[in-house]
Amino acid sequence: MESPAPLPDTNTGSGPARTTPWQWAAVAVLSLSTFVVVTSEMLPIGVLTPMADDLEISRGAAGASLTVTGLVTAVTAPFVSRLLGSLDRRVALAAAMVVLAVGNALTAVADDFGLLMAARVILGIGMGVVWGLSSAIAPRLVSPRNAALAVSVSVSGVAAASVVGVPLGTLVSSSFGWRTVFGALAGCAVALAAGLLFALPRLPRPAAPTATADGANAASPLRVRPVRVGLALFLVLVTAHFAAYTYVRPVLEERTGLTPSTIAVVLLVYGFFGLFGNFTAGALAARRARGTVLVLTAGIGASIVLLALVSRWAGPTGIAVALWGLTYGGLSVAGQIWMARSAPDRVEQVTGIYVGVFTAAIALGAFLGGVVVEASGVTALLWSAAVLAAAALAVGLLGGGRTPSTTPPVPAASATVRATTTVPNGQASAAVREPCAGAAPRE
């Protein structure tokens, strides 16, 4: 099968000056995949109370379903690049979406805590592959000048999951039950698996970096100081965020006195501002990754403090939630850019490590949040999360780790690629690029 458009040579910076509509369509399918992945992971936040009641477990135990998924993803993501070897990344993504569908289907039919946990383990495996590869693959699908935007679009599925996924799932569960929502997500995952195979070109394994005389390029990304500082900041900050956000529904129920439908609207406000924050932070981080992350960190801490102070009143609570969504919504894309800038020759590896740390922090935050809620209640939870956010800001300010301000190169594939394209007169022409483009034409 012929590739619908020329593919960029992202290794050398040559190739088409513009990204074609087909290439943007491929990025859009990738974004939809991250949307379904993150919605599947985060949906227990919106259906925490009915899920716990139906399974006859505590809210802390229901929140553990988020913890298990995060832990499995944290273990899976850092090893994705190595375990996949030379396997076409397009095929790997499609297979991971099928695994995700199985996890969602089992969640929908779970009748006890044990089956729920098993389902969430399977879901975590699929999530680890999709999230571990998506932001590394996105720049390979577009021309070099659109690389940062492609990452923002692909990661926007994370923010869109908050805008549409969790609030919509909460509303649907109110009418049809939480099991129906997970069943629908399973069907969406299967459809997107087919979409990835159709829309994406072949994506060979990126070439390994060439070692310099001192072996710097071959070294682990963890030996790079900005990488270590960034990972430490994200570990503490994301733990703080999810300790509080996992239990935002009980906060809004107990302190603000909101109804389930109103809570869905509040979560929609959070998600809307999160989507705006995603693209705004992506544009800012393309120029100043570290500074953008520090501003977002301060904003997340401030919003949690504000929520702890004003959550007795609906109006101020809405403002606090909006600020929270705005600042957290940009964190993922800004973090991806920070990591890629810090280790541009090891993008797949550093992205996998980043996703592993990020999702481990999600699991840790959900676990710690459950412990604090069960022991001391939601007010203590909010203040504990605010202290952790302040600690994350201190790590970023004192740790240094300035990142480069130029766009990182994207690793090329390991062999020369011949891209077959269609020219206006309908005749096919072949163009050979040396070294090869980051993505090969679809067959």
Side-chain angles (χ1 to χ4, degrees), residues 386-423:
V387 170
L388 283 178
L393 182 60
V395 169
L397 290 172
L398 302 177
R402 185 178 301 277
T403 58
S405 59
T406 56
T407 302
V410 179
S414 56
T416 299
V417 173
R418 177 175 295 273
T420 304
T421 64
T422 302
V423 294

Side-chain angles (χ1 to χ4, degrees), residues 185-280:
L185 286 171
C188 291
V190 172
L192 282 168
L196 288 166
L197 290 174
F198 176 75
L200 269 62
R202 285 191 301 110
L203 294 163
R205 178 183 186 175
T210 303
T212 58
D214 60 3
N217 288 350
S220 167
L222 293 176
R223 295 184 63 180
V224 180
R225 179 177 175 82
V227 170
R228 296 196 304 272
V229 172
L231 291 176
L233 184 154
F234 298 127
L235 176 62
V236 179
L237 180 60
V238 176
T239 297
H241 169 80
F242 278 95
Y245 186 63
T246 300
Y247 297 92
V248 69
R249 178 163 180 162
V251 170
L252 297 176
E253 287 174 337
E254 296 177 14
R255 289 181 60 85
T256 319
L258 301 182
T259 64
S261 58
T262 307
I263 290 173
V265 173
V266 172
L267 293 178
L268 184 64
V269 170
Y270 170 92
F272 174 81
F273 279 89
L275 188 60
F276 179 77
N278 174 81
F279 287 100
T280 303

Side-chain angles (χ1 to χ4, degrees), residues 23-95:
Q23 290 166 339
W24 281 124
V27 175
V29 174
L30 196 61
S31 178
L32 286 173
S33 299
T34 62
F35 166 77
V36 170
V37 164
V38 177
T39 300
S40 301
E41 181 196 21
M42 299 299 169
L43 186 59
I45 294 172
V47 300
L48 192 69
T49 301
M51 175 186 283
D53 293 343
D54 191 13
L55 296 175
E56 298 181 348
I57 59 179
S58 68
R59 291 180 303 182
S65 63
L66 198 66
T67 302
V68 167
T69 303
L71 286 176
V72 174
T73 303
V75 172
T76 303
F79 301 100
V80 165
S81 180
R82 180 177 300 177
L83 293 176
L84 292 180
S86 59
L87 180 65
D88 183 352
R89 273 39 180 169
R90 174 184 61 163
V91 174
L93 284 169

